[in-house]
Amino acid sequence: MANRKRVAIKRLRQSIALANLAYAQNPTSEAKASNLELPVVSSVLVVLRYVNRDGCNCWDVLLTLRSNHLRFHRGLVCLPGGKAEPGEGFVECALREAHEEIGLASTSVEVVGLAPPTMTLPKVCVWPVIAVLNKSVELKANPMEVRDVFWMPLSKFQELDAHRSPHHSFISMHYFDYTCPLTQSVYTVWGLTARLLILISSLAFQTVPQFSLCNSNQFNYSFLKKYFADESYMVQLLVSKL
């Protein structure tokens, strides 16, 4: 399993590098905005663990359920992260926030790359820092910020059966429902977290989601639509870089 994990990490690094190259060559409003001086810059830590489940090796992603005491995003499923402090880099910010929120030590993960940024409202630039768990950890949620911590199969963000996209008059949204087999707790991942994990899962598995990536006026899906909607095109790009 250790050898397969190393191969999986290598493929993930290559996919991240390719995604950043493609993103830079295809500037969107988000890419342009990421180069501007924004009111708020933040990062999230996408922690992956390589596991064997039912005889298959796969990735899980670490998620948190936000506390109801918070002013913003209360009760939502999120990735650990937050606003960068003055002079703080994206990786340092993500690692610090993860330690504050769930007690994850920076030595417990290996940072493998920085995925292309995305924008939220109002004009917040979010940088996903992708890291792989390198040892067993005992996480402890900070009750002032986090109500629950759980692992979810990353493959769920590629599966049609786990996905729903109810129509809203103002935007197209992706929702993923998940029942934890250990606790039977039910979680719903949506919004920015869902958007980021669609991208990360596509990079990790080098596959295309089974569902349609709908465009909207508010959220720019042109990067994902171009590089993941056409499976043959994506595979050709990946093979040329491997």
Side-chain angles (χ1 to χ4, degrees), residues 148-153 177-187:
D148 197 6
V149 184
F150 66 99
W151 292 94
M152 180 172 172
D177 299 314
Y178 175 65
T179 301
C180 178
L182 296 177
T183 64
Q184 296 303 305
S185 299
V186 179
Y187 305 96

Side-chain angles (χ1 to χ4, degrees), residues 127-213:
W127 292 80
V129 177
I130 305 174
V132 175
L133 198 69
N134 56 28
K135 60 183 178 181
S136 298
V137 293
E138 184 175 344
L139 303 173
K140 185 177 181 180
N142 177 352
M144 296 302 296
E145 297 189 54
V146 175
R147 195 169 71 192
D148 197 6
V149 184
F150 66 99
W151 292 94
M152 180 172 172
L154 188 62
S155 60
K156 292 295 182 183
F157 297 95
Q158 294 284 298
E159 297 174 2
L160 180 62
D161 291 344
H163 174 265
R164 56 189 174 91
S165 184
H167 176 73
H168 296 282
S169 59
F170 62 97
I171 196 170
S172 297
M173 298 288 285
H174 298 280
Y175 292 77
F176 298 87
D177 299 314
Y178 175 65
T179 301
C180 178
L182 296 177
T183 64
Q184 296 303 305
S185 299
V186 179
Y187 305 96
T188 298
V189 186
W190 65 285
L192 173 66
T193 302
R195 292 174 60 212
L196 290 176
L197 292 177
I198 290 171
L199 170 61
I200 302 305
S201 61
S202 293
L203 296 178
F205 300 116
Q206 298 182 352
T207 56
V208 182
Q210 298 172 0
F211 47 85
S212 173
L213 292 174

Side-chain angles (χ1 to χ4, degrees), residues 45-66:
L45 190 65
V46 185
V47 181
L48 304 178
R49 70 175 181 184
Y50 197 68
V51 297
N52 184 287
R53 185 181 298 108
D54 300 327
C56 297
N57 296 313
C58 53
W59 291 110
D60 285 348
V61 60
L62 181 65
L63 293 167
T64 69
L65 184 65
R66 304 272 287 178

